[in-house]
């Protein structure tokens, strides 16, 4: 998962999934939303870093939510 590539639209969906699993104020959620709004490479890198630092269970659950068609 070290080379995870996520586009801007997916980052927004991921932020919503993480907010559902954890909380709206989670630093990774805040960073993902900031990256979506700005599309600045620096914000995207920060969001990715914070996402990779969250609990593996939460990270995997959020990714699974994105993959579930229902």
């Amino acid at each position: 998962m070290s080379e995870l590539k996520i586009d801007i639209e997916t980052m927004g969906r991921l932020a919503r999934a993480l907010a559902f699993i954890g909380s709206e104020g989670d630093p990774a959620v805040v960073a993902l939303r900031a990256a979506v709004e700005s599309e600045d490479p620096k914000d995207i890198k920060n969001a990715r870093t914070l996402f990779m630092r969250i609990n593996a269970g939460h990270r995997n659950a959020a990714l699974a939510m994105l993959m579930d068609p229902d």
Side-chain angles (χ1 to χ4, degrees), residues 15-69:
R16 287 190 299 275
L18 280 175
F20 178 78
I21 293 166
S23 73
E24 292 284 332
D26 185 287
V29 173
V30 173
L32 284 165
R33 288 189 173 146
V36 169
E37 287 180 24
S38 72
E39 296 187 25
D40 183 335
K42 191 164 127 180
D43 289 340
I44 293 169
K45 182 178 179 179
N46 182 49
R48 182 187 181 282
T49 298
L50 290 175
F51 176 71
M52 295 305 289
R53 288 183 184 166
I54 64 172
N55 175 300
H58 286 185
R59 186 173 57 237
N60 291 337
L63 290 170
M65 287 176 71
L66 296 184
M67 298 174 82
D68 188 17

Side-chain angles (χ1 to χ4, degrees), residues 1 3-4 11 40 54 61 63:
M1 206 181 266
E3 292 301 318
L4 183 64
M11 285 183 122
D40 183 335
I54 64 172
L63 290 170

